[in-house]
Amino acid sequence: MFWGYSRLVSKTPEDFSQRLGLYPGRTRAQAEGKPKIWIHASSVGEVGVAKAVSDALKAMAPEAGFVISAGTHFGRERARVLFGDSAAAVYAPLDFKAPVQKALRWFRPDVLVLLETELWPQWILQAANMGIPTVMANGRISSRSIKSYLRVKSFFTEILGAMSAFSMISLDDAQRIKAMGAPPGRIAVNGNAKYDFLADHARSMSDAPLHSLPPQDSGPVIVAGSTRSGEEEAILDMMVQVRKKHPNATLILAPRHIERTAEAAAIIQGRGLAHETFSALEERGTPLKAPVLLVDRMGCLLNLYSLADVVFCGASLVELGGQNVLEPASWGKPVLYGPHMDDFAEARDLLEAAGGGRTVRDREDLTNQMLNLLNDPRAAKEMGARALSCIQSRRGAAARHAAVIRRFID
């Protein structure tokens, strides 16, 4: 069973071996430094947080070495791009005793940092057995998931008791981790480090061309990011109405899972709209000509947000908890999203309080609010400016999380 599961979640032989806790010799050299800090991220978005926190730690401990692990293929590839040769970017071992022990013995970290919701029992217990402190940083426990955690509170009380500190995003997150059994004296609230990464990333990428997509003389651009099944229909219906008022408008549609590309393409065609895929456009190297660009490659959505006049964040018209509204906000874009934002409630509330984001009730409201913003570019730009101000005013969380981690490496 163990071998079969490992094969199931692996894409390459390297992926398979690393999930078993077996790493190439070069990874140890890439992680050289004292202290040695292992930061684990779930996927692409959390890798950005890892970069912000590691940069803050590097400022505090210049000789530190880093291991950055991810649980997905795209997360590991993102880590390779962001960290280059400055860290060992690896796959996380499966949460079984043997691979976890092998991984920890290979790298011998001075501290293990688990980002956001990455609570892996064997990692935590085996690290404690080896005397390695474990810190939850940028921690969050959603209102959707807390009920499931509380059903097995007795199990989590033991796991959380083996951890050294919980550096949480918000007071709500702190209260939820306490309710799960975390020792109250180890819990602190230090904000969201995603603000730090997004502000820095947008500034560093602001002059980067994106294949002239779409052509500069085109009409308004809408980016619909991380969409899920049941949302593309509403978005394409909205686009049909938008193009009646703005015939040169462009939609950049990025489904959350690229394996749904064919499904999304069929929905586009069913609305009578032509489309091109991002990969085909990259290969051809010429400007977009179709009214819809279908994104069929991972890792580029954050930069594509920079092209938008208005953004819609998916997984929110359907009951899937929403997506990260901070990413488009970091480019100074006005952001729309549906009513189901349970997993990103704090970010939504901050954005709405600043006047940089708005909830749409349903598909009809999506069309109306989109047209209102496109018909009033000045109001859309002002809304985007407020979204950017919200991001910039909340920087500093990465350094606060790093300070908690530093306590266990001094």
Side-chain angles (χ1 to χ4, degrees), residues 24 54 85 92 104 108 127 135 205 218 265 273 325 350:
S54 68
D85 295 330
L104 292 174
R108 291 284 177 181
V135 176
M205 295 297 293
S218 69
L273 295 171
V325 296
L350 289 171

Side-chain angles (χ1 to χ4, degrees), residues 104-115:
L104 292 174
R105 287 169 180 163
W106 177 254
F107 288 111
R108 291 284 177 181
D110 293 287
V111 63
L112 174 64
V113 181
L114 303 177
L115 293 179

Side-chain angles (χ1 to χ4, degrees), residues 52 55 195-205 395:
D55 285 348
Y195 292 109
D196 296 86
F197 170 72
L198 292 170
D200 290 341
H201 179 83
R203 188 166 58 248
S204 68
M205 295 297 293
R395 298 181 64 186

Side-chain angles (χ1 to χ4, degrees), residues 20-326:
L20 296 180
L22 304 172
Y23 298 94
R26 67 178 182 277
T27 59
R28 183 177 284 169
Q30 289 172 322
E32 278 306 310
K34 190 66 180 176
K36 187 178 295 183
I37 303 166
W38 187 331
I39 304 178
H40 174 63
S42 173
S43 190
V44 173
E46 292 75 21
V47 170
V49 174
K51 185 66 167 66
V53 173
S54 68
D55 285 348
L57 282 164
K58 198 75 173 177
M60 298 174 183
E63 302 304 317
F66 291 91
V67 181
I68 309 298
S69 63
T72 68
H73 171 74
F74 293 111
R76 201 284 296 265
E77 293 307 300
R78 181 66 168 157
R80 281 182 164 177
V81 170
L82 283 182
F83 287 87
D85 295 330
S86 66
V90 300
Y91 289 106
L94 292 171
D95 195 49
F96 294 97
K97 183 176 180 179
V100 166
Q101 285 183 336
K102 289 177 183 177
L104 292 174
R105 287 169 180 163
W106 177 254
F107 288 111
R108 291 284 177 181
D110 293 287
V111 63
L112 174 64
V113 181
L114 303 177
L115 293 179
E116 304 213 354
T117 57
E118 293 298 284
L119 292 171
W120 294 101
Q122 282 300 322
W123 270 39
I124 295 165
L125 294 176
Q126 297 309 316
N129 289 341
M130 296 172 66
I132 301 168
T134 303
V135 176
M136 185 180 196
N138 215 57
R140 68 181 180 93
I141 304 294
S142 74
S143 59
R144 288 199 311 155
S145 62
I146 184 62
K147 293 179 182 178
S148 298
Y149 285 130
L150 291 179
R151 291 191 190 104
V152 287
K153 179 178 177 179
S154 59
F155 170 75
F156 273 103
T157 298
E158 177 188 1
I159 302 302
L160 298 179
M163 297 184 69
S164 304
F166 304 86
S167 189
M168 310 302 289
I169 289 176
S170 71
L171 181 59
D172 286 342
D173 296 307
Q175 291 172 337
R176 289 171 190 144
I177 201 77
K178 178 182 175 182
M180 288 167 58
R186 303 178 196 174
I187 303 171
V189 177
N190 284 312
N192 196 338
K194 282 188 176 178
Y195 292 109
D196 296 86
F197 170 72
L198 292 170
D200 290 341
H201 179 83
R203 188 166 58 248
S204 68
M205 295 297 293
S206 59
D207 296 325
L210 283 167
H211 313 286
S212 300
L213 300 176
Q216 292 184 351
D217 59 351
S218 69
V221 178
I222 300 166
V223 177
S226 297
T227 60
R228 301 292 189 90
S229 179
E231 292 184 316
E232 286 90 3
E233 293 87 350
I235 292 162
L236 269 299
D237 287 342
M238 173 268 294
M239 189 60 184
V240 170
Q241 297 304 313
V242 164
R243 283 180 63 83
K244 291 179 180 179
K245 299 285 187 181
H246 303 274
N248 294 324
T250 299
L251 171 66
I252 299 176
L253 179 65
R256 178 70 176 87
H257 301 111
I258 59 173
E259 54 266 30
R260 293 189 57 247
T261 298
E263 178 186 344
I267 297 170
I268 296 169
Q269 292 166 356
R271 297 315 191 267
L273 295 171
H275 78 278
E276 298 178 71
T277 62
F278 188 90
S279 58
L281 211 61
E282 269 197 319
E283 185 177 342
R284 196 174 71 229
T286 56
L288 176 69
K289 296 179 181 178
V292 179
L293 174 66
L294 179 57
V295 181
D296 58 347
R297 185 163 69 77
M298 291 289 291
C300 57
L301 178 59
L302 177 55
N303 289 345
L304 288 172
Y305 281 139
S306 70
L307 302 175
D309 290 285
V310 184
V311 169
F312 172 76
C313 281
S316 58
L317 279 177
V318 291
E319 296 184 21
L320 289 173
Q323 283 295 324
N324 187 1
V325 296
L326 304 180

